[in-house]
Structures are given as C-alpha cells and as structure tokens.
Amino acid sequence: MADPPVAQHGRTVYHGSVSDRNAPSIVILTGAGISKESGLDTFRDADGIWSKVRIEDVATPEGFARDPDRVHEFYNARRRQLRGDGIAPNAAHQALPRLEQDWPGPVLLVTQNIDDLHERGGSRNVIHMHGELQKARCQACGAVHAWPGDMSRADSCPACASMGMLRVHVVWFGEMPFEMDRIYQSLSDCDLFISVGTSGNVYPAAGFVQEARLQAAAHTVELNLEPSEGATLFAEQHYGPATEIVPAYVRDLLSGAPKVA
Ligand code: BJW
C-alpha cells in the first residue's frame, strides 16, 4: 500500500491508492472532445459527424426502423475505425486512471462516448451512459453481447436465436441513457465535478453540472477546447487540447493545488 496523504507547504498531497471514506469524491463527465486527438471525430465541430450525416437518419429509433441497413453500416464503419491500427488512447485518457488510482476518495468516470478508449487507457470505474459501439443488443430478448465485428440483419442473437433483431447497444435520441440512478446518486454526493470535452448540447448529461452544484454544492470544473454551451455554470474553466489540459489538471489535483469543494 502506498503512503498516506501528507501535508506539504500547507497543501494536502496524495500518494498512491489509499482509500479514505471521508476523502472528497469526484465525478468526471467526458464527451467526444477527449477522443478527438486519438483520431475520432466529435459530433458538433465544423468537421464533426453531424456535418456528414443527419441525426434523424442514424441516431434515432425511427431512423433505424426506416432503414436498418443504413444504420448498421454507419456503426460498422465507426466500429472498424475504432479497431483500426491508428486509434489508441491519448494522454488525456491515460491521465484519468491516475486519478482513479491515487485519489483517496471515490472517482466515477461517466462517459457519453461509445468508444472503449477510457478502458484501453486504464480506467476501471466507467459508466457508458450512451452505450458501447462494440456491443449488440437483441430487441427480442434484451440480451447484450460483445460484438467487435460488423452487424447486419442476417445476424441472429446468440441468446435467443432470433434473426434480424440485433441493434448496436447505443442510446439514440428519445431513448433513456443507461445507469441514470447510479449517476444521479454519485452527482448528489460528489465534492468535485469535472467535465471534459463535451459541448453541453445533449441532455441529461448537459444538466449534470447543475445537479452537482445544486444537490451537492460541489466545485465544478470545465476542461474543454473552448467554452461550451454551459461554460458559465462552472466555477473553474481551463481551455486547450485535452491532451494538454487534462494531464496538467490531474497533476495539479493530485499535488493538492486546485480547490475541491
Ligand atoms: C475538444 C477537443 C480537444 C474538440 N480537446 N476538447 C429539448 C430540451 C432539452 C432536452 C431535449 C429537448 N428535446 C429533446 C431533448 C432530449 C435529447 C436532447 O438532449 N436533445 C438536445 C439536442 C436538445 N436527449 C435525449 O433524447 C437523451 N435521452 C433522454 O433525454 O431521455 C429522457 C430522460 C429524461 C430525464 C432523465 C434522463 C433521461 C438521449 C441522448 C442520446 C445522445 N446520443 C448520441 C449518439 C450516441 C451514439 C453515437 O455515438 O452514434 O450521443 S448524440 C451525440 O451527442 C452522442 C454524444 O455522446 C452526445 C454528446 O456529444 P458531445 O460528446 O458533447 O460531443 P460534441 O461534438 O457536441 O462536443 C465536443 C466538444 O469537444 C466540443 O465542445 C469541442 O469544443 C470539444 N473538443 N476537440 C478538448 N482536442
């Protein structure tokens, strides 16, 4: 076990994975901006995914009902890209597990991203509130399966054998994001809420900063390339590429520099 937190120059410095039930708890929300420098497109930037395809066609249950082949192909292409040689976790993904490991209190990472770069970067306590690209869900029996390859209407469910009932395990507009009870519980208990690489356009995630402020009186921090829709709701802001500002912020936090609550 590592050394306990020690006071240094009037600040508390945390070393190693000491667990302290009374230590401040942290909730981190991430969005597409954290994966941008790994080579994955964001949604709403000028060159983003929504500049190339219509939301109604590929990210709604109605779009899937109208043209399942089109939607399967959209996600197959993104799945192939994610598994390609060039895509790997970047310095921002890699900084967050250091916090999970070395911060003495609970650290929950809630991501809107459907890629697996947080897990590949070493994070363990992760909620994918908008689902996971490399999983399939059966609309007949509800079973969820690891699905690293292409998906089509010719596939059948490994659990119930229904054919043509599989869909990608992601959350489209109008659908309920996953694990909301656990997320709201953590937000209402947290001391520090950190938002990374998200535009703050999509609810309920866009409302988490208010939840943390009003329910938990948490300190709130935005780390983004530029001010998001809700930038003024945050008590502290740092702007720049995630690969620079996230490792720097984590380093400062673990050395006791920033405010917590
Ligand atoms: C960098 C960077 C770098 C770039 N470094 N940063 C009217 C009012 C309010 C709400 C609604 C409304 N009408 C409908 C709704 C609800 C709707 C909604 O929010 N609509 C809005 C558009 C208005 N929401 C829903 O339907 C959700 N469900 C729901 O609400 O259920 C009911 C409910 C009620 C109460 C409680 C709980 C639930 C479901 C939303 C599903 C979103 N799905 C998608 C697709 C997932 C699958 C896929 O990937 O294909 O999720 S849409 C897309 O947007 C994706 C993302 O997760 C999500 C958020 O995007 P994100 O991550 O913020 O990306 P960008 O591109 O927007 O921003 C990137 C940011 O990074 C930018 O700021 C850049 O500057 C920055 N950046 N490079 C650091 N290098």
Side-chain angles (χ1 to χ4, degrees):
M1 185 182 276
D3 298 334
V6 292
Q8 256 181 29
H9 310 299
R11 301 180 321 191
T12 301
V13 179
Y14 293 106
H15 296 289
S17 49
V18 176
S19 159
D20 175 354
R21 215 188 291 200
N22 296 317
S25 70
I26 301 177
V27 176
I28 306 163
L29 171 70
T30 64
I34 198 168
S35 296
K36 173 73 178 171
E37 292 163 85
S38 292
L40 299 180
D41 283 340
T42 61
F43 293 91
R44 294 169 187 80
D45 290 318
D47 59 348
I49 292 174
W50 300 151
S51 72
K52 296 166 194 148
V53 291
R54 288 176 359 129
I55 290 178
E56 314 76 289
D57 291 339
V58 297
T60 62
E62 295 79 12
F64 185 60
R66 258 194 319 270
D67 193 347
D69 294 338
R70 162 113 204 255
V71 177
H72 279 311
E73 194 37 55
F74 172 68
Y75 286 99
N76 286 343
R78 289 173 66 193
R79 202 177 292 111
R80 280 182 227 130
Q81 182 194 21
L82 179 60
R83 294 176 63 78
D85 285 343
I87 305 295
N90 63 47
H93 296 107
Q94 288 161 347
L96 297 179
R98 287 206 287 281
L99 204 50
E100 200 178 305
Q101 207 178 338
D102 290 353
W103 186 256
V107 177
L108 175 66
L109 175 51
V110 179
T111 186
Q112 297 169 87
N113 298 344
I114 62 174
D115 65 56
D116 62 348
L117 295 181
H118 282 305
E119 286 85 349
R120 284 201 246 164
S123 287
R124 292 291 165 260
N125 198 17
V126 184
I127 293 178
H128 282 271
M129 65 177 288
H130 290 166
E132 293 174 76
L133 181 56
Q134 297 183 99
K135 288 186 178 169
R137 185 166 79 247
C138 176
Q139 297 174 101
C141 73
V144 175
H145 307 281
W147 207 273
D150 283 0
M151 198 182 304
S152 80
R153 280 195 287 166
D155 291 312
S156 50
C157 172
C160 73
S162 296
M163 200 204 230
M165 295 302 283
L166 293 179
R167 58 163 281 184
V168 63
H169 185 53
V170 302
V171 178
W172 289 322
F173 283 101
E175 296 183 323
M176 183 64 82
F178 299 126
E179 299 204 53
M180 291 310 301
D181 289 349
R182 203 173 136 212
I183 294 172
Y184 280 126
Q185 183 60 52
S186 297
L187 287 169
S188 69
D189 282 346
C190 77
D191 299 288
L192 174 61
F193 174 74
I194 309 167
S195 171
V196 183
T198 176
S199 63
N201 272 282
V202 176
Y203 287 83
F208 290 173
V209 57
Q210 289 282 53
E211 197 71 19
R213 270 169 50 141
L214 301 177
Q215 298 297 323
H219 184 60
T220 53
V221 180
E222 170 163 274
L223 308 178
N224 207 37
L225 190 60
E226 58 194 14
S228 72
E229 286 282 312
T232 54
L233 297 171
F234 291 85
E236 183 180 343
Q237 297 92 356
H238 300 265
Y239 296 118
T243 54
E244 293 174 17
I245 58 175
V246 175
Y249 181 80
V250 167
R251 204 166 39 241
D252 283 354
L253 192 57
L254 289 173
S255 72
K259 281 197 297 194
V260 172

